[in-house]
Amino acid sequence: MDTLGIDPQTIAFYDDNADAYADCAETEHGVIHLAQFAADLPSGARVLDFGAGDGWAAGWLAAEGFEAVAYDASEALLALAAQRPGVETQQGSFEELEAFGEYDGVWASFSLLHAPRAALPSNLSRLATALVPGGRLFVGLKQGVEERRDRLGRFYAYFDADEVIEALGATGFDVLRATSSEGRGMAGDIETSLYFHARLAP
């Protein structure tokens, strides 16, 4: 990884396989949690899809009347996101995000797990800075305690639910809901996904 926490091999995978990823990015659980997240937002809220991939969530939000910004490091995935009506796109690494009280909500669905475990507190702090007081945050991660590459060569960091809840609390978030489910990802492995809905302290 470079100094910005980007793993070139992971970004290269998404650039080379953008269409294949887009075919499986939107899941039933993802849509359910996105609808719950959106229900907590004010009408017309400005929302950051952080690590947006092909922008399916940003597109859904835009269709529901929200101002949606798709943010990702992969040029190829952002090109797909830009095709979705009403979606604004921004390219950058996690550490390159510069936003201060700009968003009513941040949707970080299975993106922060591509950064090292040690980077979670700083990434959550960056998202807290991007939110307005009382803003909403969704974080999707995978359960575990290690860092490794999957069968496709992507870097993954795994987390325990309690440590994520502690990190969210230390960053000024109140956790509203924390749930989990099992599923099979693009690499074919069955893993446990962790879902956190949180609110930044007013």
Side-chain angles (χ1 to χ4, degrees), residues 96-164:
E96 289 175 308
L97 177 69
E98 295 183 357
F100 303 90
E102 184 176 342
Y103 296 99
D104 301 290
V106 173
W107 173 261
S109 181
F110 301 97
S111 53
L112 296 179
L113 44 61
H114 287 313
R117 284 172 50 83
L120 182 64
S122 62
N123 281 327
L124 290 177
S125 179
R126 190 169 295 109
L127 297 182
T129 299
L131 282 166
V132 299
R136 301 305 174 102
L137 171 69
F138 172 84
V139 176
L141 297 166
K142 291 187 181 293
Q143 182 174 284
V145 294
E146 73 273 25
E147 295 179 346
R148 64 176 178 85
R149 293 192 183 277
D150 69 2
R151 300 171 190 266
L152 303 176
R154 298 175 296 178
F155 173 86
Y156 274 88
Y158 293 79
F159 297 87
D160 177 77
D162 288 340
E163 70 176 311
V164 178

Side-chain angles (χ1 to χ4, degrees), residues 1-139:
M1 295 200 180
D2 67 16
T3 56
L4 292 177
I6 296 175
D7 176 55
Q9 185 174 334
T10 300
I11 300 305
F13 171 85
Y14 287 119
D15 280 337
D16 293 341
N17 299 275
D19 290 333
Y21 175 77
D23 287 341
C24 62
E26 182 176 348
T27 66
E28 180 180 356
H29 282 293
V31 173
I32 290 171
H33 284 282
L34 183 57
Q36 292 174 344
F37 169 77
D40 290 335
L41 297 172
S43 177
R46 184 166 174 81
V47 184
L48 177 66
D49 187 355
F50 190 66
D54 70 312
W56 74 266
W60 188 97
L61 290 164
E64 293 295 316
F66 297 102
E67 293 183 30
V69 178
Y71 185 99
D72 204 280
S74 167
E75 182 177 355
L77 285 175
L78 274 185
L80 296 178
Q83 297 175 21
R84 298 181 183 274
V87 173
E88 176 186 340
T89 60
Q90 295 180 14
Q91 185 174 6
S93 70
F94 294 159
E95 293 191 10
E96 289 175 308
L97 177 69
E98 295 183 357
F100 303 90
E102 184 176 342
Y103 296 99
D104 301 290
V106 173
W107 173 261
S109 181
F110 301 97
S111 53
L112 296 179
L113 44 61
H114 287 313
R117 284 172 50 83
L120 182 64
S122 62
N123 281 327
L124 290 177
S125 179
R126 190 169 295 109
L127 297 182
T129 299
L131 282 166
V132 299
R136 301 305 174 102
L137 171 69
F138 172 84
V139 176

